[in-house]
Amino acid sequence: MIAGILERNPRLANWIWGFKPPERSPIILVHRRVYILPARLGMLFAATLAILLVGAINYALALGFALTFLLAGLGLVGMVHTARNLARIGVSIGRAEPVFAGESAQFRLYLDGRVRYDRPAILARHVGSGSQFVIDIPAQSVVEVVLAVPARRRGWLPLGRVLLETRFPLGLFRAWSYVEPDARCLVYPRPQRSPLPAPLAEAAAGALRSQAAGNDDFSGLRAYQFSDSPRHVAWKAVARSDDMLTKQFTGESAAELWLDWRLLPAALELEQRLSRLAGWVLAAERGGALYGLRLPGLEIAPARGGAHAAACLQALALYQPS
Amino acid sequence: MKGVPHPLSPEFRLVTMRDLLLLCGSLALVVAPHATRAPWWITLLALCLYAWRIHYSLNPAPLPARWLVISIAALAMLGVWLEYRTLFGRQPGIVLLMLFSGLKLLETRTHRDAAAAAFLGYFLIITNFLYTQSIPTALAMGAAVFAITATLIGLSAPNRAPRANLGTAALLLAHAVPAAAALFLLFPRVQGPLWGLPQDAYAGMTGLSETMSPGTLSRLALSDSIAFRAEFDGAPPGPSLRYWRGPVLWDFDGRTWRIGAQSVASFAAPAGSSATYRYSVVLEPHNRAWLFALETAAMLPQGSRYTTDGMLLAGAPVRGRMRYDLSSVITPRSALDERPGDLARALRLPAGSNPRARVLAAEWRAASRSDSEVLARALGFLRQGGYVYTLEPPLLGTDSVDEFLFGTKAGFCEHFSSAFVVLMRAAGLPARVVTGYQGGELNPVDRIITVRQSDAHAWAEVHVSGHGWRRFDPTAAAAPNRVDSGLARSLPETQQALFMRRELEWLRSLRHQWEAVAHKWNVWVLGYNPERQRELMSHLGMRNADWRGLIAMLFTVLGITTALLLAWSLRRMPRPDPVQRAWRAFCSKLAARGIERSPSEGPRDFAERAARSLPSARRAILRIGALYIGLRYGREANPRRASDLRRLVREFRPA
């Protein structure tokens, strides 16, 4: 119920958890942000203490009292130590490599112990996805946690809320804290495989140069189609990747390939268009072609190489129709 | 939480082999003292259960099925019932818990099971205290608490080095001590018990009983355990004067002496007291109401009663260690106004028993002119009759006095006193048997006299007309050493227990040291009760502290200790750098005005850009930027400048 209320009132949640998301890293978990409550084992422990106390009173056992009170003190001390295990940890973020929609973004979190003692058994859990790890932070060191967050849609994927929790040392208390660092991951559109457009497809659209696809010169690879001759299948490329690719040949070398928004059927929806274009970028890059990208209001000049592909995919990921 | 198993939740975490072995070890530590007291088959069964579980953790296989564990539990309960004919006494309860600890281990798979077993271990510790609360027990159980705590820590951090976990356990326990001490001293103590205790709750307490028959005291005298300790203000009386008076036995059936009916009298201090001794007694629990006093008590301890035959009775059976203050005078007791009914009772003998002793007594009576002559003849008879004082007297039949006096001629103090009283009664002198302790060992370390069960003694009181009841010790007549130098010197050496041997003087002195410590422990730790708590409170200036005052004080102390601990836990943590914090506050203030620092932008560039965008605040911005650069990248660490920076940032309000 409380979780529901907090979900509906983000401002209340921010006030309670003691921060306003997203936060710049490094984030230090100050004591005010560390919450602590008895865990279920703590309740069992309290029940044990109650029985011990009654026994000590009933049989007037001085050492029974001593034992009961030592254990009560242990519980109290355990609470402070549990909070201490989490307090003032530094959380900073690492680079999250871009992924395609449908894959998982790999967010890197660096947990800095910042103290001369170790901090064992700390759970880092991504609240949204449930992706989680239990780690031990050795004294004076930083530990990397990679949280896999499913990327469903293209664009920027914020990391969201991360729970840090510990029950060390006695397991009687559960101390936790939430962080929401300003980490984000670029999500490319989900690539859809379709045959590459012909090089210089602009010609077909009424441009100056006309060049038909031929069998003379290798110009690149495209996705395999049933009608393709087995002789043209790029077996070496197939061996490297799982895709069936067909070699493309043109009459002229060094052809420029334009991956143009307008080449796609007009009936296609926006996301599908972007998916097709992303597929083309991948295919063109794999084929080693020189390719450019054209979107409404945006043009990336033909080039090749990883940086170029990344730029094209980023443009597709962040494309907003005007 | 969205259905994903929580990796820290104890229900899902499996116990590692290391933690399981540690758990078995620490539980074994707790159960070991019980194992020596339990019936052999239960010890064996518990051992098998532990070994079985260890076998499973060394050779991974599915644990035994639940029905198997439950049927073992049922069989064990049946066995315990057959052994004790009940399941609810103290001993059967403990034995069952012992078995359940093994059974719990057998179904321990997860962290939660293991933690529950560890808590059971904590509980089993207290059951050991039902038997003994001595210093060695406390140390052993302290070790067990440490082991169980280390186990719990290991369960929460399975990947951590065991050494580190032991270190954490020691740290936690050390930190828990102040809070534990505060709770021990200040937690409002209630005088137990809260409800009826099982029948056998006080089994195993040794001491004198309401009856005495041949062999009772000689068996008791083999026990080395302590009956009570007495601490005198000033010099204690010599050993031959230390008669600690206990139950008075009136009724004889030819073999066994009994207390019989008692009536309470009002106490009158003995007249003509010469030397008065003030002392306090710490009495070990003996599950009887009587208290022991040096003959003759000159006052009554608080809350006690007095009987017509001079016994001191506590309000209830002494079931916890009890302390009382007393004063006594060493003077022949003289109560002239003895009731005639009592004197008739002190002459009664069972018809037809011990005929030879009666004949002998009648001869003495006939040949004597006075009571004192009869007494002298009787004592002389015992002195010269060739009687042997021994801890191992031969067994006697129904006419025990005749057999002893004319047959075996070897006995312990109960034989001598019994025979003497029978002879006196047969000669027409009212007499009774008094049991108690004689002597006691003076500890040179703390000047405390320790009286053991081995000092148990029985003597006689004879009513001499004109003098009242007078003490006669027939044992002293036969074995004078017994009274002057204690049991050890009056027995042949082969019958002496190890601690009694003379040649082991170093052992004795070690023993004295140890007992001085043990006495302090008894008085200050084990003897801490509601009364002591009130004393402590009035020392602290809280007179008449009730439970509310105690609770308030307790919470104050606990709050302070916890706050100190919290301060300690934060002490070694670097605080967020104040300079860095000020700079971040500055950046966010600018960001609120739409001037955001890009990650690649250095502080100088950013400050200049911000100054250009906000000309009104130009000076402040550039000043803050310069201060920050100086503090962050410069060599100077000037606290004045850092506070300047913080103040400037605080006051910075971009319009």
Side-chain angles (χ1 to χ4, degrees):
Chain A
M1 187 194 77
I2 294 170
I5 292 174
L6 293 183
E7 203 119 312
R8 282 192 297 279
N9 302 285
R11 286 185 60 184
L12 179 68
N14 293 340
W15 178 75
I16 286 184
W17 303 131
F19 65 97
K20 214 181 280 177
E23 302 171 277
R24 284 224 173 164
S25 77
I27 304 162
I28 310 266
L29 292 184
V30 292
H31 238 285
R32 144 110 177 73
R33 290 175 63 162
V34 177
Y35 289 80
I36 189 158
L37 276 180
R40 213 177 287 176
L41 273 188
M43 308 286 186
L44 193 60
F45 185 71
T48 310
L49 284 188
I51 297 171
L52 281 176
L53 182 64
V54 169
I57 292 174
N58 215 29
Y59 285 88
L61 295 174
L63 287 189
F65 280 112
L67 172 73
T68 311
F69 297 147
L70 181 65
L71 294 182
L74 194 65
L76 198 69
V77 167
M79 180 178 77
V80 174
H81 276 255
T82 305
R84 176 179 96 127
N85 200 33
L86 207 55
R88 299 218 182 144
I89 282 185
V91 182
S92 45
I93 50 170
R95 197 178 139 67
E97 297 293 333
V99 292
F100 292 97
E103 296 179 344
S104 278
Q106 309 289 318
F107 283 100
R108 284 184 172 70
L109 242 57
Y110 296 97
L111 301 185
D112 183 353
R114 302 174 74 243
V115 282
R116 266 174 293 176
Y117 49 83
D118 62 333
R119 298 171 180 272
I122 290 176
L123 167 76
R125 174 193 183 103
H126 186 255
V127 176
S129 67
S131 161
Q132 58 192 1
F133 283 95
V134 178
I135 49 154
D136 298 323
I137 307 178
Q140 298 281 26
S141 51
V142 181
V143 171
E144 184 193 69
V145 189
V146 181
L147 295 174
V149 178
R152 294 203 174 76
R153 294 172 46 216
R154 71 180 175 91
W156 286 112
L157 172 70
L159 169 59
R161 197 156 280 185
V162 173
L163 168 76
L164 294 174
E165 183 185 322
T166 188
R167 299 188 186 195
F168 182 83
L170 292 175
L172 307 180
F173 288 89
R174 163 178 179 265
W176 76 97
S177 185
Y178 285 106
V179 287
E180 196 165 342
D182 57 352
R184 56 182 193 173
C185 177
L186 186 60
V187 182
Y188 300 146
R190 184 193 299 260
Q192 193 182 20
R193 231 176 265 161
S194 65
L196 275 176
L200 285 183
E202 255 177 316
L208 288 173
R209 282 192 282 173
S210 158
Q211 195 72 45
N215 284 353
D216 303 345
D217 285 313
F218 175 74
S219 71
L221 295 168
R222 62 170 172 78
Y224 173 80
Q225 289 171 313
F226 273 120
S227 55
D228 286 340
S229 155
R231 279 175 49 221
H232 287 171
V233 170
W235 293 111
K236 281 183 190 168
V238 172
R240 278 198 303 271
S241 69
D242 289 337
D243 298 327
M244 284 286 274
L245 297 170
T246 303
K247 291 178 193 163
Q248 275 197 316
F249 300 91
T250 58
E252 197 177 282
S253 62
E256 288 182 349
L257 187 64
W258 277 102
L259 310 176
D260 195 331
W261 170 274
R262 285 169 294 168
L263 292 177
L264 292 164
L268 273 184
E269 279 178 50
L270 170 67
E271 294 304 323
Q272 275 180 315
R273 268 170 196 275
L274 293 171
S275 284
R276 287 265 183 105
L277 284 167
W280 281 353
V281 169
L282 287 186
E285 181 61 31
R286 217 174 311 157
L290 212 55
Y291 61 94
L293 177 70
R294 248 183 225 140
L295 295 172
L298 181 95
E299 186 176 296
I300 296 177
R304 65 163 77 89
H308 176 63
C312 294
L313 288 169
Q314 177 165 8
L316 293 172
L318 301 179
Y319 175 74
Q320 298 291 333
S322 43
Chain B
M1 272 200 188
K2 306 226 163 89
V4 190
H6 191 304
L8 290 188
S9 120
E11 287 84 358
F12 297 107
R13 273 150 71 115
L14 294 182
V15 173
T16 61
M17 186 180 93
R18 181 199 82 183
D19 293 332
L20 200 101
L21 293 181
L22 198 58
L23 179 65
C24 290
S26 41
L27 281 180
L29 216 59
V30 180
V31 165
H34 285 313
T36 59
R37 287 182 285 256
W40 65 270
W41 68 268
I42 286 172
T43 304
L44 192 69
L45 178 56
L47 209 63
C48 287
L49 292 174
Y50 277 61
W52 197 8
R53 184 60 182 95
I54 290 172
H55 170 81
Y56 270 115
S57 68
L58 296 179
N59 311 284
L63 287 181
R66 209 182 179 89
W67 64 263
L68 188 57
V69 175
I70 289 174
S71 25
I72 294 174
L75 275 177
M77 281 166 87
L78 184 70
V80 169
W81 188 82
L82 287 175
E83 184 85 37
Y84 295 99
R85 298 287 155 179
T86 175
L87 290 181
F88 298 105
R90 185 180 74 175
Q91 186 64 24
I94 288 170
V95 158
L96 276 179
L97 277 180
M98 209 171 124
L99 293 177
F100 287 162
S101 73
L103 291 167
K104 181 71 202 167
L105 282 178
L106 261 191
E107 58 155 28
T108 292
R109 295 174 178 83
T110 61
H111 177 176
R112 204 185 72 128
D113 299 330
F119 295 166
L120 179 62
Y122 281 141
F123 184 78
L124 275 166
I125 289 178
I126 205 176
T127 58
N128 277 313
F129 297 148
L130 290 171
Y131 295 95
T132 160
Q133 302 192 70
S134 63
I135 297 177
T137 309
L139 290 177
M141 291 302 114
V145 169
F146 175 70
I148 297 175
T149 308
T151 308
L152 271 180
I153 295 170
L155 292 172
S156 324
N159 301 324
R160 200 156 171 251
R163 266 187 79 134
N165 285 340
L166 290 179
T168 304
L171 184 70
L172 284 174
L173 285 170
H175 283 173
V177 165
L183 281 161
F184 187 82
L185 293 176
L186 299 175
F187 188 86
R189 292 298 183 90
V190 186
Q191 190 76 58
L194 301 176
W195 63 77
L197 298 174
Q199 292 279 314
D200 62 345
Y202 303 108
M205 290 179 184
T206 54
L208 295 172
S209 72
E210 293 88 349
T211 64
M212 182 185 87
S213 40
T216 324
L217 289 190
S218 48
R219 232 176 293 127
L220 187 62
L222 291 174
S223 162
D224 177 16
S225 63
I226 289 169
F228 58 87
R229 291 180 167 99
E231 185 172 12
F232 282 83
D233 294 348
S240 59
L241 295 178
R242 293 200 291 261
Y243 278 85
W244 305 94
R245 201 166 189 271
V248 181
L249 311 177
W250 292 82
D251 301 338
F252 187 54
D253 66 358
R255 180 180 165 81
T256 302
W257 288 89
R258 291 194 169 74
I259 282 189
Q262 282 179 306
S263 50
V264 176
S266 60
F267 181 75
S273 36
S274 48
T276 305
Y277 293 95
R278 301 190 157 277
Y279 56 99
S280 62
V281 173
V282 177
L283 179 62
E284 297 293 314
H286 59 98
N287 203 21
R288 304 293 201 286
W290 55 75
L291 307 175
F292 296 93
L294 194 63
E295 217 164 57
T296 306
M299 61 173 269
L300 275 186
Q302 240 180 349
S304 65
R305 290 167 299 146
Y306 187 72
T307 63
T308 45
D309 51 9
M311 285 172 69
L312 304 182
L313 296 178
V318 181
R319 283 166 177 170
R321 197 172 277 112
M322 181 184 173
R323 187 193 157 98
Y324 52 89
D325 295 316
L326 211 55
S327 66
S328 289
V329 290
I330 305 289
T331 177
R333 194 183 136 67
S334 53
L336 292 168
D337 54 338
E338 198 60 52
R339 297 179 304 177
D342 278 351
L343 292 182
R345 193 178 163 201
L347 284 170
R348 214 170 288 153
L349 281 174
S353 72
N354 302 307
R356 292 184 65 188
R358 288 176 176 218
V359 170
L360 181 65
E363 284 169 10
W364 290 342
R365 180 85 264 179
S368 309
R369 274 160 296 162
S370 67
D371 287 354
S372 36
E373 209 180 317
V374 175
L375 278 163
R377 275 174 198 271
L379 290 173
F381 177 77
L382 287 175
R383 197 174 296 124
Q384 285 139 25
Y387 291 97
V388 179
Y389 183 61
T390 174
L391 257 181
E392 291 155 354
L395 294 174
L396 300 178
T398 22
D399 285 337
S400 59
V401 171
D402 273 6
E403 286 176 50
F404 165 65
L405 282 178
F406 307 106
T408 61
K409 294 201 171 190
F412 201 59
C413 49
E414 70 263 35
H415 302 78
F416 286 98
S417 58
S418 167
F420 184 74
V421 172
V422 167
L423 286 170
M424 286 301 104
R425 287 187 178 186
L429 285 172
R432 60 196 185 191
V433 173
V434 179
T435 56
Y437 298 89
Q438 204 283 318
E441 191 174 20
L442 180 70
N443 187 336
V445 178
D446 56 3
R447 312 290 304 160
I448 287 173
I449 289 176
T450 305
V451 177
R452 296 171 193 287
Q453 301 299 349
S454 58
D455 295 318
H457 194 49
W459 57 93
E461 280 178 354
V462 180
H463 193 268
V464 184
S465 51
H467 295 280
W469 290 104
R470 292 190 59 177
R471 180 179 75 215
F472 290 90
D473 192 344
T475 315
N481 275 341
R482 167 66 185 85
V483 176
D484 295 334
S485 37
L487 180 61
R489 319 246 158 135
S490 49
L491 286 173
E493 239 171 53
T494 45
Q495 287 188 18
Q496 292 177 4
L498 184 63
F499 68 93
M500 294 177 182
R501 302 257 168 101
R502 271 186 89 175
E503 61 266 36
L504 297 174
E505 281 303 328
W506 62 273
L507 200 62
R508 283 172 89 87
S509 97
L510 203 68
R511 194 180 158 93
H512 285 146
Q513 299 280 354
W514 168 248
E515 279 178 355
V517 174
H519 182 69
K520 291 264 178 302
W521 169 262
N522 287 342
V523 171
W524 295 109
V525 179
L526 304 186
Y528 191 79
N529 54 15
E531 206 173 314
R532 286 266 150 142
Q533 192 171 45
R534 270 194 297 279
E535 276 173 35
L536 176 75
M537 286 299 103
S538 62
H539 277 306
L540 294 176
M542 284 176 70
R543 212 148 291 159
N544 304 325
D546 62 347
W547 63 272
R548 278 180 238 109
L550 285 170
I551 290 275
M553 190 142 162
L554 178 60
F555 273 87
T556 316
V557 174
L558 284 186
I560 291 170
T561 53
T562 312
L564 285 177
L565 188 61
L566 207 61
W568 169 85
S569 79
L570 294 178
R571 181 181 52 112
R572 289 189 352 204
M573 295 193 187
R575 294 182 64 80
D577 179 8
V579 171
Q580 195 61 29
R581 234 176 10 186
W583 174 251
R584 267 158 59 182
F586 172 68
C587 289
S588 55
K589 279 184 174 180
L590 283 174
R593 307 289 310 155
I595 305 161
E596 257 189 86
R597 188 172 81 92
S598 74
S600 61
E601 205 170 17
R604 188 186 304 273
D605 294 342
F606 176 60
E608 279 169 7
R609 181 164 69 86
R612 276 198 302 279
S613 328
L614 287 171
S616 58
R618 193 186 137 78
R619 272 194 60 190
I621 292 172
L622 290 180
R623 181 82 211 288
I624 289 171
L627 269 175
Y628 174 67
I629 291 163
L631 283 165
R632 182 107 172 101
Y633 303 104
R635 293 191 164 262
E636 51 178 334
N638 189 335
R640 277 262 302 282
R641 282 172 164 248
S643 63
D644 275 356
L645 173 70
R646 272 160 45 207
R647 184 178 46 79
L648 277 173
V649 169
R650 209 167 41 240
E651 289 165 0
F652 177 64
R653 306 244 189 287

